[in-house]
Amino acid sequence: MAEVLNGAMTAKELETDQEVRWCPGCGDYSILKQVQKVIPELGIKREDIVFISGIGCSSRFPYYMNTYGMHSIHGRAPAVVSGLKSTNPDLSVWMITGDGDSLSIGGNHLIHLLRRNFDINVLLFNNQIYGLTKGQYSPTSEEGKTTKSTPMGSLDHPFNPAALCLGADSTFYARTMDRDPVHMRDILLKASHHKGTSMIEIYQNCNVFNDGAFFGMTDKETKKQQTLFVEHGKPLIFGQNNEFGIKLDGFKPVIVNMDSASADDLWIHDEKDRAKANILARFYGNPATEGELPRPFGVFYSEDRPCYEDLLVNQVEVAKEKFGEGDLNALLRGKNTWTIG
């Protein structure tokens, strides 16, 4: 794994001399700041850290990190990080992407990255819009979304990133938001310590083309009613004064009033339970609607499973023991010759 130092690097040293060219007020600034704060805490040498992005507003990210990095091809960042991690497993690799980049043109690449379980960190910026190309609806936009490309409203059913990741057998999925930097920092640290592909979905406000998409879940007046922050080993409780809880009736989540229930009656979050994580992923209705479940944030699921690059290295070693060192020239020449004439 990457060489670890004793806190020699600072957040300031991770800034570059590049002008940050996101729109004023963009949620990307908050994410960049938290990543620059968290990376030094990992104690990894700067030259062992790589940020790879696809295409989109979020994908300018590598320009602003004073590490190695690449602004790659639309939707193809998973291919680049897979190749990089296969050939240099010791690097700390971070993939930056958006809902348009990874859930549309890059959808196929993303699901295979998740199932293979390379030891990388994926930050999925979800603003439910194509911001860089000035406001077309994206794969996560809600049904009926009115944009320049859908003047009568989108007919598409939106992707549920949590369900997609768990369906692809991701070994780590968490959700956080740009307007809660304390929570984001905690999630980034947990993800960075996960051995395997950690997927973090970050709700990010595009204040130009989709301003307020997550307003009810981020505004202090409504946040506690519409969100549910899950922690391993703790009951599911939410509300302005923690007046509501959630329990399971079989596999069906039910909201209960804490006046008539105790914490012992409630669903206790277990981030090792894939079945319950899949139920959490389906808390995906509009939490502003009466009777709808709140939107969960935190680590939904975390699983220990061998990483692809480790299995690959082991397989190469077994092949060397069995067949000896390889000879590329001999392989290319082959055992047969042909005379053409």
Short mmCIF file of all heavy atoms in Angstrom, two decimals, residues 99-100 103-104 130 137-141 157-160:
data_model
loop_
_atom_site.label_atom_id
_atom_site.label_comp_id
_atom_site.label_asym_id
_atom_site.label_seq_id
_atom_site.Cartn_x
_atom_site.Cartn_y
_atom_site.Cartn_z
N ASP A 99 -23.11 12.60 -11.88
CA ASP A 99 -24.24 11.73 -12.24
C ASP A 99 -24.37 11.57 -13.75
O ASP A 99 -24.72 10.49 -14.23
CB ASP A 99 -25.55 12.26 -11.64
CG ASP A 99 -25.76 13.75 -11.87
OD1 ASP A 99 -24.90 14.54 -11.45
OD2 ASP A 99 -26.79 14.13 -12.46
N GLY A 100 -24.05 12.60 -14.51
CA GLY A 100 -24.10 12.45 -15.96
C GLY A 100 -22.96 11.60 -16.48
O GLY A 100 -23.14 10.78 -17.39
N LEU A 103 -23.38 7.72 -14.63
CA LEU A 103 -24.65 7.00 -14.64
C LEU A 103 -25.31 7.00 -16.01
O LEU A 103 -26.37 6.40 -16.19
CB LEU A 103 -25.60 7.60 -13.59
CG LEU A 103 -25.07 7.51 -12.15
CD1 LEU A 103 -26.04 8.17 -11.18
CD2 LEU A 103 -24.82 6.07 -11.74
N SER A 104 -24.69 7.68 -16.98
CA SER A 104 -25.21 7.63 -18.34
C SER A 104 -24.18 6.98 -19.25
O SER A 104 -24.08 5.76 -19.32
CB SER A 104 -25.53 9.06 -18.82
OG SER A 104 -26.09 9.01 -20.11
N TYR A 130 -27.16 18.10 -15.93
CA TYR A 130 -25.91 18.30 -16.66
C TYR A 130 -25.55 19.79 -16.55
O TYR A 130 -26.14 20.63 -17.25
CB TYR A 130 -26.08 17.92 -18.13
CG TYR A 130 -26.02 16.44 -18.41
CD1 TYR A 130 -27.17 15.69 -18.56
CD2 TYR A 130 -24.79 15.79 -18.55
CE1 TYR A 130 -27.12 14.32 -18.84
CE2 TYR A 130 -24.72 14.43 -18.83
CZ TYR A 130 -25.89 13.71 -18.97
OH TYR A 130 -25.83 12.36 -19.24
N TYR A 137 -31.54 17.61 -18.46
CA TYR A 137 -31.83 16.67 -17.36
C TYR A 137 -30.84 15.52 -17.42
O TYR A 137 -30.36 15.13 -18.48
CB TYR A 137 -33.28 16.17 -17.44
CG TYR A 137 -33.55 15.12 -18.48
CD1 TYR A 137 -33.72 13.79 -18.10
CD2 TYR A 137 -33.67 15.45 -19.82
CE1 TYR A 137 -33.98 12.82 -19.05
CE2 TYR A 137 -33.93 14.48 -20.77
CZ TYR A 137 -34.08 13.17 -20.39
OH TYR A 137 -34.34 12.21 -21.32
N SER A 138 -30.52 14.96 -16.26
CA SER A 138 -29.51 13.89 -16.15
C SER A 138 -30.20 12.58 -15.74
O SER A 138 -31.41 12.57 -15.46
CB SER A 138 -28.44 14.28 -15.12
OG SER A 138 -28.86 13.92 -13.81
N PRO A 139 -29.43 11.48 -15.64
CA PRO A 139 -30.06 10.20 -15.25
C PRO A 139 -30.66 10.20 -13.85
O PRO A 139 -31.44 9.31 -13.52
CB PRO A 139 -28.89 9.21 -15.33
CG PRO A 139 -27.96 9.81 -16.31
CD PRO A 139 -28.05 11.29 -16.08
N THR A 140 -30.29 11.17 -13.01
CA THR A 140 -30.87 11.20 -11.66
C THR A 140 -31.93 12.29 -11.50
O THR A 140 -32.50 12.44 -10.41
CB THR A 140 -29.78 11.42 -10.59
OG1 THR A 140 -29.03 12.60 -10.91
CG2 THR A 140 -28.83 10.22 -10.52
N SER A 141 -32.21 13.04 -12.57
CA SER A 141 -33.26 14.05 -12.48
C SER A 141 -34.61 13.39 -12.21
O SER A 141 -34.89 12.29 -12.72
CB SER A 141 -33.35 14.85 -13.79
OG SER A 141 -32.17 15.57 -14.03
N HIS A 157 -37.64 7.66 -15.85
CA HIS A 157 -37.60 7.28 -14.43
C HIS A 157 -36.15 7.43 -13.97
O HIS A 157 -35.23 6.93 -14.63
CB HIS A 157 -38.06 5.84 -14.25
CG HIS A 157 -38.16 5.40 -12.83
ND1 HIS A 157 -39.15 5.85 -11.98
CD2 HIS A 157 -37.37 4.58 -12.08
CE1 HIS A 157 -38.98 5.31 -10.79
NE2 HIS A 157 -37.91 4.54 -10.82
N PRO A 158 -35.90 8.11 -12.86
CA PRO A 158 -34.52 8.39 -12.46
C PRO A 158 -33.79 7.18 -11.90
O PRO A 158 -34.39 6.30 -11.27
CB PRO A 158 -34.68 9.47 -11.39
CG PRO A 158 -36.03 9.23 -10.81
CD PRO A 158 -36.88 8.73 -11.96
N PHE A 159 -32.46 7.17 -12.13
CA PHE A 159 -31.59 6.20 -11.48
C PHE A 159 -31.59 6.43 -9.98
O PHE A 159 -31.62 7.58 -9.51
CB PHE A 159 -30.16 6.34 -11.97
CG PHE A 159 -29.72 5.25 -12.89
CD1 PHE A 159 -29.06 5.54 -14.07
CD2 PHE A 159 -29.95 3.91 -12.59
CE1 PHE A 159 -28.64 4.54 -14.94
CE2 PHE A 159 -29.55 2.89 -13.44
CZ PHE A 159 -28.88 3.22 -14.62
N ASN A 160 -31.48 5.34 -9.22
CA ASN A 160 -31.28 5.40 -7.78
C ASN A 160 -29.83 4.93 -7.55
O ASN A 160 -29.56 3.72 -7.58
CB ASN A 160 -32.28 4.46 -7.09
CG ASN A 160 -32.10 4.41 -5.59
OD1 ASN A 160 -31.03 4.70 -5.05
ND2 ASN A 160 -33.16 4.02 -4.89
#
